Amino acid sequence: MSVTITFPDGSERRYDSDVTGAEIAASIGPRLAKAAVAVKLDGVATDLNRAIAQDGMVEIVTEDSEEGRHVLRHSAAHVMAQAVLDLFDGAKFAIGPPIADGFYYDFEVEQPFTPEDLERIEERMAEIIAEDQPFERDELSVAEALDVFGNQPFKTEIIESVDEQEGAGGSEVSVYRNLEFVDLCRGPHVPSTKRLKAVKLMRSAGAYWRGDENRAQLQRIYGTAWESKAALAAYLERLEEAERRDHRKLGQELELYSFPSELGSGLAVWHPKGGLLRTIIEDYSRRTHLAHDYEIVATPHVAKADLWQQSGHLDFYAEGMYPGMVLDETTEYRMKPMNCPFHILIFGSRSRSYRELPLRLFELGTVYRYERSGVIHGLMRARGFTQDDSHIFCEEKDIAAELQNLLDFTLMVLRDFGFTEFEADLSTKDPEKYIGSDDLWDKAEDALRLALETAELPYEVAEGEGAFYGPKIDVHVRDAIGRRWQLSTLQVDFAQPDNFDLLYASDHNTRERPVMIHRALMGSIERFVGILVEHYAGALPGWLAPVQATIVPVADRHVAYASEVAERLHTEGLRIDVDAADDTVGEKIRRAITQKHPAVLVVGDSDVAAQTAGLRLRGEDERRGVALDEVAASLVELCRAPR
RNA sequence: GCCGGGGUAGCUCAGUCGGUAGAGCGACGCACUCGUAAUGCGUAGGUCACGGGUUCGAUUCCCGUCUCCGGCUCCA
């Protein structure tokens, strides 16, 4: 008997029946055999040592692919559990999947793991790996499995719930053994533990069983595993790079903002340089909105609780709001967690005509949300922040055109700030929970889809993930080190116009309900600044840099000339500092560079004589003796705002 | 909110097995007047997060609060 195997390139080979993936890989080449960690048979990943009994498509999964690393990490998770069960008597193990860049395993143990425990576990894992223990697959009946895992309550629960993800499907469950250690698992795994060449434990943390905070709190250990020591080192370097870019650290070093504990958690103060950066961004936001036919409004930070009752926020969102302030023992006020009700009141302040629509109200609106203490993270997740928020009131027939324009506007803004890679999520109707007619939903979803396709934006549909009041698009960007951030959100809302009984007079003089679009492009100014700082590692482009150039006088006698040069450049609208401190030239240059200023000018005797300066642009070598006009032209070009 | 780990000078950190503390950088002063990523010397600067307890004595041990970090959960 023989089987015909088809490869991804379309070629075919015949093998003896019951050939294994390992043998197929070996028949193709020794390098492939060495790199193989699993095999995909008709798209389903399985172990290298399983016999293939029928014709099919075969793809060898190698350790340097994402799928291959997945296998490595899954196997590493087993080895970690094995080590923990070896070292900690009575430890119960729960689940241990591969995740992006690593893996984890959850345990129930007497005491939380200490850093020293992690070292011991890592050492034990190294021993297990060195022993080259084979991973062997076995299929057990439910009864057998319950017997094997009799003293493991989490495993028992998985078996009883017949969780296919964890290897328990139908009447059989699959398990993997290496030596005495056995775990429920769907596989596949590497053939033996020695294939794990670069494994490192990262940290431990609390986590809930099944992610449910009402259930047992387990101890999770995170680890990472890679195909080689070099790949592991590169990953650790990436983590360090992310740490170097941390906007909380850079914000302090560059004197942009801080979080005084006297204010309370999640509340930032903006120092002069950060305040300037913010102002530049806000000015950009206002002028581009005005240019796109938005009208700027302003609204207060508090409002009567009744308003939030009417908008529904107090029913659905009370936990996220600051508590009430009762005035005169009768009236309760709340900090605003959103701007929409205010904009709605402006719309409803008088009768509206179809001639005014779409009516686009824009506000840099500062809102306050009582985020749970554990989730606060610098500017990324704060309790007070300013949205570049707008509510667009339009006729049903205009939704498509409006969304189209809006998405174009959104991408323009994101590109202006230097982002080039975008991905979107389209969240659609949850058939269980929605308001508004199916027809309206279909129209809105079609309009969102069309807008995405016209903009050639790659997107994924999140089926049923829309809010009950309408579908939405979220736009994500990739930053300089490949991280994904959600920035913009465009939401269609069929509910609030109803809640507030908004009407306009149509061209037939009938009263019609407008459709509302909520949208924020940067999302929150605070968070946007945080993301920019991390994206640029603090080295902001010229137009955003609070100080665009520092002038360094070589000696005291050059300070006057330095000030003249600064004056000259100020007239071009440039933001220039003169560093007249009593330090060496080297020290002042170092200071300007570590402060990430886009340009440094050095002026000495020869520059005074020739009306020139030494010009050193970020990342470039210095040019000596550049004429001031050329310096000015060069800096103006470097610091030009996108619009 | 939950689990774990922290909070010592402006910053980064060391230290005190319970007897009220130290470095580097920064700041300030003096000298130097200097041409490309740290000039030298000196000085000041601390309720050891806050409140309570134990103790002859607490920055150190215990409890509580605030706050930060890493996760979990959450982000209408």
Side-chain angles (χ1 to χ4, degrees):
Chain A
M1 279 292 285
S2 67
V3 292
T4 302
I5 298 300
T6 311
F7 294 103
D9 65 0
S11 64
E12 291 186 354
R13 287 204 200 189
R14 295 187 68 75
Y15 292 91
D16 286 342
S17 186
D18 290 344
V19 67
T20 66
E23 288 159 0
I24 293 174
S27 76
I28 297 171
R31 288 221 336 252
L32 184 64
K34 200 154 169 268
V37 289
V39 60
K40 270 165 86 175
L41 182 59
D42 291 328
V44 180
T46 185
D47 298 308
L48 278 179
N49 58 12
R50 276 186 108 179
I52 294 170
Q54 56 202 358
D55 297 352
M57 281 278 300
V58 159
E59 190 181 338
I60 305 295
V61 177
T62 56
E63 60 191 358
D64 59 350
S65 67
E66 259 323 291
E67 267 187 297
R69 291 187 195 112
H70 220 69
V71 174
L72 291 177
R73 288 163 188 163
H74 202 169
S75 299
H78 275 231
V79 171
M80 180 166 77
Q82 186 178 359
V84 169
L85 265 58
D86 277 357
L87 295 172
F88 296 85
D89 271 352
K92 309 296 184 211
F93 61 138
I95 57 169
I99 54 175
D101 294 334
F103 60 89
Y104 68 79
Y105 219 113
D106 288 345
F107 303 94
E108 188 175 67
V109 283
E110 297 282 314
Q111 298 289 325
F113 297 110
T114 64
E116 294 73 36
D117 290 337
L118 294 196
E119 281 175 31
R120 284 170 59 211
I121 295 164
E122 207 170 76
E123 280 166 25
R124 179 70 192 114
M125 288 174 70
E127 291 168 13
I128 294 167
I129 290 167
E131 283 168 18
D132 200 14
Q133 303 179 8
F135 278 97
E136 286 164 350
R137 184 188 172 91
D138 203 356
E139 312 250 331
L140 304 178
S141 70
V142 168
E144 287 169 327
L146 286 174
D147 190 45
V148 169
F149 294 102
N151 60 349
Q152 289 289 343
F154 302 108
K155 296 297 176 189
T156 302
E157 184 174 331
I158 293 166
I159 295 165
E160 286 171 344
S161 70
V162 192
D163 186 337
E164 289 191 22
Q165 290 297 311
E166 294 297 331
S171 57
E172 294 225 307
V173 296
S174 61
V175 297
Y176 278 78
R177 295 177 196 280
N178 39 314
L179 289 192
E180 77 288 0
F181 176 76
V182 54
D183 193 4
L184 277 183
C185 189
R186 190 178 43 156
H189 279 284
V190 295
S192 81
T193 57
K194 202 153 198 172
R195 295 299 303 271
L196 303 173
K197 284 172 270 186
V199 181
K200 182 175 166 58
L201 300 188
M202 304 298 286
R203 66 175 71 87
S204 63
Y208 301 105
W209 170 234
R210 294 294 191 208
D212 181 345
E213 61 186 312
N214 298 312
R215 304 201 59 181
Q217 173 115 29
L218 306 175
Q219 293 301 317
R220 174 171 299 177
I221 302 178
Y222 285 92
T224 189
W226 295 83
E227 66 274 19
S228 65
K229 295 261 190 290
L232 172 61
Y235 170 64
L236 296 177
E237 170 57 33
R238 279 214 304 286
L239 291 185
E240 280 172 29
E241 179 59 31
E243 205 171 312
R244 278 193 289 277
R245 287 167 182 262
D246 190 317
H247 75 283
R248 296 166 298 185
K249 180 170 158 285
L250 286 170
Q252 179 180 53
E253 287 171 8
L254 304 181
E255 294 188 81
L256 299 174
Y257 39 76
S258 63
F259 304 90
S261 56
E262 290 85 343
L263 298 193
S265 186
L267 300 168
V269 293
W270 294 76
H271 297 211
K273 289 191 175 108
L276 183 51
L277 172 58
R278 227 190 123 110
T279 303
I280 293 162
I281 292 171
E282 290 176 350
D283 287 350
Y284 167 94
S285 182
R286 288 196 191 91
R287 74 176 177 268
T288 50
H289 278 88
L290 287 173
H292 282 75
D293 294 325
Y294 284 75
E295 298 177 78
I296 296 181
V297 298
T299 65
H301 292 215
V302 292
K304 286 193 282 194
D306 294 351
L307 179 70
W308 306 111
Q309 198 63 58
Q310 188 181 358
S311 67
H313 289 109
L314 270 180
D315 286 336
F316 294 107
Y317 192 61
E319 276 187 10
M321 292 173 68
Y322 272 80
M325 297 166 273
V326 178
L327 299 187
D328 304 326
E329 294 177 18
T330 56
T331 312
E332 183 181 333
Y333 284 78
R334 293 283 192 141
M335 304 294 287
K336 69 168 165 183
M338 300 218 156
N339 303 301
C340 18
F342 299 88
H343 296 186
I344 287 169
L345 292 176
I346 293 171
F347 180 94
S349 64
R350 62 169 168 79
S351 55
R352 297 284 177 182
S353 152
Y354 74 97
R355 296 175 196 276
E356 298 178 81
L357 306 186
L359 182 71
R360 306 180 187 92
L361 302 181
F362 172 73
E363 173 174 19
L364 288 167
T366 303
V367 297
Y368 299 89
R369 300 183 185 180
Y370 197 74
E371 301 287 359
R372 296 171 84 177
S373 60
V375 307
I376 287 165
H377 183 90
L379 294 175
M380 302 300 190
R381 191 87 175 269
R383 282 183 172 161
F385 58 94
T386 303
Q387 297 177 303
D388 62 329
D389 202 6
S390 181
H391 297 91
I392 300 170
F393 303 88
C394 65
E395 296 187 80
E396 247 182 74
K397 69 175 176 56
D398 291 333
I399 295 178
E402 195 58 29
L403 290 171
Q404 186 96 45
N405 289 337
L406 189 47
L407 195 58
D408 286 348
F409 183 22
T410 304
L411 294 178
M412 179 199 94
V413 169
L414 300 181
R415 287 195 178 102
D416 281 351
F417 282 92
F419 296 106
T420 53
E421 279 185 74
F422 310 105
E423 293 152 31
D425 285 338
L426 169 62
S427 301
T428 60
K429 185 174 67 183
D430 177 352
E432 302 293 307
K433 193 180 159 204
Y434 70 99
I435 61 146
S437 74
D438 289 329
D439 180 53
L440 202 49
W441 272 85
D442 289 346
K443 269 194 208 156
E445 288 180 11
D446 287 347
L448 288 169
R449 200 171 274 119
L450 179 67
L452 286 167
E453 273 157 19
T454 308
E456 294 181 7
L457 203 55
Y459 69 97
E460 282 183 18
V461 178
E463 214 68 61
E465 292 292 306
F468 71 93
Y469 53 74
K472 66 170 178 174
I473 291 176
D474 293 318
V475 180
H476 305 252
V477 299
R478 293 272 173 188
D479 75 4
I481 56 171
R483 292 173 302 179
R484 192 170 189 257
W485 301 97
Q486 186 195 316
L487 287 178
S488 315
T489 179
L490 328 181
Q491 306 187 335
V492 182
D493 185 347
F494 307 128
Q496 292 292 18
D498 251 5
N499 265 350
F500 285 87
D501 196 24
L502 299 185
L503 294 168
Y504 67 92
S506 73
D507 54 354
H508 291 79
N509 201 24
T510 54
R511 295 292 169 274
E512 303 294 339
R513 192 74 85 206
V515 171
M516 201 170 143
I517 301 170
H518 305 246
R519 39 112 292 176
L521 308 188
M522 301 173 189
S524 126
I525 302 293
E526 285 77 359
R527 185 164 173 278
F528 193 67
V529 168
I531 291 166
L532 284 176
V533 166
E534 300 210 357
H535 176 57
Y536 288 111
L540 296 165
W543 73 286
L544 294 171
V547 176
Q548 294 170 322
T550 298
I551 304 182
V552 175
V554 171
D556 286 352
R557 65 179 177 278
H558 308 120
V559 170
Y561 176 68
S563 303
E564 279 174 38
V565 175
E567 268 313 299
R568 161 85 178 77
L569 297 174
H570 282 150
T571 63
E572 305 281 356
L574 293 164
R575 299 184 288 271
I576 309 293
D577 264 8
V578 175
D579 189 346
D582 186 12
D583 288 310
T584 59
V585 173
E587 167 69 11
K588 290 189 224 181
I589 288 174
R590 179 183 149 79
R591 186 153 52 224
I593 290 173
T594 51
Q595 285 292 303
K596 319 255 187 194
H597 297 168
V600 184
L601 303 182
V602 180
V603 295
D605 287 333
S606 59
D607 297 300
V608 175
Q611 296 290 293
T612 58
L615 174 62
R616 179 175 177 140
L617 302 179
R618 189 154 61 203
E620 294 181 21
D621 289 336
E622 194 215 24
R623 286 191 296 143
R624 292 271 179 97
V626 181
L628 290 187
D629 283 348
E630 198 189 332
V631 169
S634 170
L635 292 183
V636 165
E637 178 56 31
L638 182 70
C639 299
R640 191 187 306 284
R643 67 192 74 243

